[in-house]
Amino acid sequence: MCGIVGYIGNKDATKILMDGLKRLEYRGYDSAGIAILKEGNISIYKEPGKMSGLEKVLQEKPVFGNIGIGHTRWATHGAPNQKNAHPHTDYYNKIALIHNGIIENHQSIKTKLSAGGYKFRTDTDTEALANLISEFYKNGTSLDEAVRSALSQVEGTFGIVVLAHDDPDTLVAARRGSPLVVGIGEGENIIASDVSAIISHTKNVSYLDDNEVAVITRDGVDIKTIDNHKVNKRVEEISFDLDEIEKGGFEHFMLKEIMEQPQTIEDAMRGRLLVEEGTAHLGGIQNEIDSLLYAPKILFTACGTSWHSALIGEYLIEDLVRTSVEVEYASEFRYRDPVIERGSVSFVITQSGETADTLAALREAKRKGAKVLGVCNVVGSTIARESDAGVYLHAGPEVGVASTKAFTSQVTVLSLLSLLLARMRNMGASKGIEIVNEMKSLPQKVTKILEDHEIIKNIAAEYHKSQNFLYLGRGYNFPVALEGALKLKEISYIHAEGYPAAEMKHGPIALIDENMPVVFIATKDSTYEKIMSNIEEVKARNGRIIAIATEGDNEIGRLADHVIYVPATMEFLTPILTIIPLQLLAYYIAIMRGCDVDQPRNLAKSVTVE
């Protein structure tokens, strides 16, 4: 959530900032603004709503300069209006500031500064920080010293970039809990909250860590801690190309990413399946295998879609490895003082690697003595760096706010992990080889499902005006029901709930009538007969049934109003297939309702505040 871009160099900063902010639109926002410094004057333009409003203003009143900052805001403190949009200035209009995160002690800062004559013009916590920096800056200190002094008094999270009209050749950036990355160029440098805003200018970057402050000029970047200790940062190369964050001819990023899944699933397995040995190799956690095999308990913490993949991971490891697994919402984990046994291993699962709640859970697990392993998509992210070890998804950039390809990649990686541990514990080679060969066939089977998208589109046309949906599954497909319901509510704004199918009779059955679409994940597996009974119960109450079924199942057609078939696979691998039609169903329903599927209202791609 929120996007930050700052530029200093010899080019038109306005164009670079606007292009960068457009690259960050996917993160979710409700206002946008830029500040340009030229000839000692700071010009600020900001507008509520989408970037198009800011673009229109800049067309009418163009501004040029070689240093500036830009921001897309996701409102926390104060309504999403022009007054509260970033950048913010101090009371004396000498500095401009953009900020991601939350200043928790902003009210006490405001009270103290108000007593000294400062007046506040917005409802934001950010303005308190701008004036606190100003208080130190007006006493003759350098801009970076003023920033460091102010941040030493701040409680909360921040990713900030500051410019001052008295210091026209410097940007100062700092982070604590909110990501920032510096792009290293020639005669120019750029700072952003995401490498997608940098990649068109340079592939050489340095990631700031918590409590680090970067002084950025045209000729270089100097990084210190808030306590003024020099930091030597490694320069890394961005691992993807610009075309990976383009739509590539698709109408929406979400559709592109759904259609990419045969490739991303294959990429998650590439080099990790050992066919002859019937096992997997995960180099990132190779040194932690003993910790996993002898752990009294394995803990998964995650949020949203990643939490659903963690539930599947629980089923996988308990089923194949016979190790106790517990799944926790990361947002609850740190606050309930969880009991972690000595020797336990905690996995944190995240697409972005920056989710604030998941990062907090990681740190809490470490404090309690657990070994912490990461399952993450973004190379160089905070969670990737702070985990003791981990596995990358290799799904490539996921731009659509509603996660699709990252989910199937997460489940694929968790399947590899379970296979690896099971082979080392109790699974024979012949069974392992059978699983490896089946996993290798998954991309082709996903392709087959995607080729039938017109069938799913026709079903969407019949139900896109519905106001409620129920999703039901059993066993491995219960988390798929949760994820399918989440996808629908995220992008179409239809109320949808996922349940274990057996729980329907304990309450939700009261909702079922001729106007209620009920989606069953009813593949031919160990729960098939039971879920068919649940379908009969819904049919008896005139519910409209959409079934996800295994190819060749002719029986289900007599009960379901619509059937979407998926290829047969091993039971524990079915979620990788059954989620695909549910992603497409949500996508087509949302499109038919006129919703913005890539940037759904109120949502952000990377939730970097608690």
Side-chain angles (χ1 to χ4, degrees):
M1 59 176 58
C2 300
I4 278 178
V5 187
Y7 174 80
I8 183 169
N10 300 303
K11 297 175 183 172
D12 177 13
T14 300
K15 183 179 186 308
I16 290 170
L17 295 177
M18 292 298 289
D19 288 346
L21 292 179
K22 286 180 182 177
R23 300 274 183 209
L24 298 176
E25 283 190 287
Y26 77 95
R27 294 172 65 93
Y29 71 104
D30 42 49
S31 61
I34 65 169
I36 301 294
L37 177 58
K38 184 178 182 182
E39 297 176 353
N41 293 314
I42 301 175
S43 300
I44 293 181
Y45 300 83
K46 51 188 185 178
E47 290 292 319
K50 295 298 184 182
M51 287 284 295
S52 56
L54 181 60
E55 285 181 304
K56 183 177 180 182
V57 170
L58 289 169
Q59 287 171 358
E60 296 171 354
K61 299 178 181 179
V63 59
F64 302 96
N66 303 130
I67 176 173
I69 56 178
H71 190 268
T72 51
R73 175 180 186 247
W74 190 84
T76 55
H77 294 71
N81 54 32
Q82 186 176 47
K83 176 182 71 172
N84 292 325
H86 295 220
H88 289 293
T89 61
D90 67 317
Y91 177 59
Y92 302 104
N93 295 313
K94 289 189 175 183
I95 69 169
L97 167 72
I98 51 178
H99 167 226
N100 290 353
I102 293 176
I103 307 301
E104 294 174 358
N105 61 334
H106 69 279
Q107 197 57 56
S108 63
I109 293 171
K110 281 185 177 183
T111 300
K112 182 178 178 180
L113 292 174
S114 295
Y118 284 88
K119 290 183 172 58
F120 293 86
R121 298 176 285 240
T122 78
D123 306 314
T124 69
D125 56 328
T126 301
E127 191 184 10
L129 179 55
N131 281 310
L132 184 59
I133 294 171
S134 176
E135 177 68 9
F136 288 102
Y137 188 53
K138 74 178 185 180
N139 293 328
T141 60
S142 64
L143 181 59
D144 66 297
E145 186 178 349
V147 170
R148 285 188 285 104
S149 297
L151 294 180
S152 68
Q153 299 185 10
V154 163
E155 297 172 9
T157 58
F158 51 80
I160 63 168
V161 186
V162 186
L163 59 76
H165 71 58
D166 292 336
D167 201 345
D169 298 312
T170 304
L171 293 175
V172 178
R175 75 156 281 178
R176 180 191 294 155
S178 191
L180 286 178
V181 56
V182 184
I184 312 297
E186 294 184 8
E188 62 178 2
N189 289 298
I190 188 167
I191 179 92
S193 52
D194 190 306
V195 293
S196 61
I198 292 174
I199 192 170
S200 60
H201 303 282
T202 179
K203 294 193 78 169
N204 297 318
V205 297
S206 289
Y207 296 90
L208 294 190
D209 288 311
D210 277 358
N211 299 312
E212 290 182 349
V213 179
V215 178
I216 305 166
T217 65
R218 290 172 176 80
D219 300 320
V221 180
D222 183 43
I223 301 176
K224 297 180 179 180
T225 65
I226 290 175
D227 296 329
N228 202 28
H229 297 297
K230 175 74 175 176
V231 177
N232 294 314
K233 301 295 289 188
R234 184 162 61 98
V235 177
E236 305 178 36
E237 186 174 341
I238 298 172
S239 59
F240 61 87
D241 296 318
L242 185 61
D243 60 357
E244 292 187 60
I245 55 172
E246 301 288 351
K247 289 181 181 176
F250 287 92
E251 186 176 357
H252 299 96
F253 281 110
M254 184 178 180
L255 182 59
K256 173 178 179 275
E257 288 156 7
I258 290 172
M259 295 298 180
E260 285 176 343
Q261 287 175 108
Q263 185 62 54
T264 55
I265 291 167
E266 185 173 331
D267 289 344
M269 296 187 291
R270 191 182 306 279
R272 292 170 168 172
L273 284 174
L274 305 180
V275 180
E276 293 182 0
E277 298 175 38
T279 188
H281 173 77
L282 297 172
I285 60 168
Q286 193 61 38
N287 294 332
E288 306 299 337
I289 298 301
D290 283 349
S291 298
L292 287 163
L293 285 172
Y294 298 108
K297 179 180 291 186
I298 294 175
L299 178 70
F300 286 116
T301 58
C303 300
T305 286
S306 296
W307 188 78
H308 296 154
S309 70
L311 287 177
I312 296 170
E314 177 184 24
Y315 284 48
L316 282 163
I317 291 175
E318 291 195 342
D319 188 9
L320 300 181
V321 188
R322 310 308 296 166
T323 295
S324 176
V325 179
E326 186 174 341
V327 179
E328 293 265 7
Y329 280 112
S331 55
E332 291 292 318
F333 179 77
R334 70 181 290 206
Y335 294 108
R336 69 171 195 83
D337 194 21
V339 176
I340 297 180
E341 301 172 61
R342 183 180 297 275
S344 293
V345 177
S346 177
F347 274 95
V348 291
I349 305 180
T350 166
Q351 190 285 131
S352 69
E354 302 292 351
T355 309
D357 288 323
T358 308
L359 182 56
L362 179 154
R363 291 168 176 168
E364 181 66 16
K366 277 193 169 185
R367 275 192 290 270
K368 291 184 175 295
K371 179 79 68 174
V372 179
L373 308 180
V375 176
C376 181
N377 191 37
V378 180
V379 176
S381 61
T382 303
I383 287 173
R385 296 199 307 275
E386 292 197 16
S387 298
D388 295 313
V391 183
Y392 282 118
L393 303 179
H394 300 307
E398 188 177 65
V399 178
V401 167
S403 182
T404 52
K405 65 178 182 177
F407 174 77
T408 49
S409 293
Q410 287 169 348
V411 177
T412 301
V413 164
L414 292 172
S415 300
L416 291 170
L417 172 67
S418 302
L419 170 62
L420 169 61
L421 296 178
R423 281 286 287 118
M424 296 189 75
R425 175 157 292 179
N426 53 22
M427 182 183 288
S430 60
K431 183 64 175 178
I433 291 169
E434 182 186 356
I435 290 171
V436 167
N437 287 324
E438 181 57 29
M439 291 190 73
K440 287 178 65 179
S441 73
L442 290 174
Q444 184 179 356
K445 291 181 177 182
V446 171
T447 298
K448 194 170 189 296
I449 298 168
L450 294 171
E451 288 172 350
D452 293 333
H453 65 95
E454 286 295 331
I455 295 172
I456 300 167
K457 189 174 183 179
N458 291 336
I459 296 171
E462 185 163 343
Y463 294 100
H464 73 279
K465 293 184 180 179
S466 299
Q467 296 304 307
N468 300 281
F469 266 75
L470 194 60
Y471 287 70
L472 301 173
R474 284 177 177 260
Y476 282 100
N477 282 310
F478 159 51
V480 176
L482 295 176
E483 176 62 11
L486 178 62
K487 287 284 97 53
L488 187 67
K489 70 182 88 171
E490 280 181 316
I491 63 171
S492 74
Y493 318 141
I494 293 173
H495 175 253
E497 295 294 337
Y499 279 91
E503 285 297 303
M504 176 187 63
K505 58 184 174 288
H506 297 294
I509 198 168
L511 300 172
I512 294 172
D513 60 18
E514 67 277 5
N515 298 313
M516 172 66 83
V518 183
V519 179
F520 278 95
I521 302 100
T523 51
K524 278 286 185 83
D525 57 30
S526 62
T527 67
Y528 180 74
E529 296 301 329
K530 293 294 184 184
I531 206 161
M532 288 294 283
S533 296
N534 299 137
I535 292 174
E536 293 271 15
E537 292 169 338
V538 171
K539 188 73 171 178
R541 291 158 179 82
N542 299 317
R544 305 297 303 281
I545 298 167
I546 303 167
I548 311 300
T550 304
E551 286 179 346
D553 181 358
N554 298 318
E555 182 183 358
I556 201 166
R558 69 178 178 83
L559 294 175
D561 297 279
H562 311 274
V563 182
I564 304 168
Y565 288 104
V566 299
T569 190
M570 293 178 168
E571 183 168 349
F572 70 88
L573 296 175
T574 55
I576 298 172
L577 303 183
T578 52
I579 191 56
I580 305 295
L582 302 187
Q583 293 171 348
L584 285 169
L585 182 65
Y587 172 79
Y588 285 124
I589 286 175
I591 292 300
M592 292 171 188
R593 290 170 68 91
C595 300
D596 186 344
V597 296
D598 284 338
Q599 297 171 43
R601 68 188 183 200
N602 303 332
L603 296 181
K605 183 63 179 173
S606 178
V607 185
T608 55
V609 298
E610 290 190 56

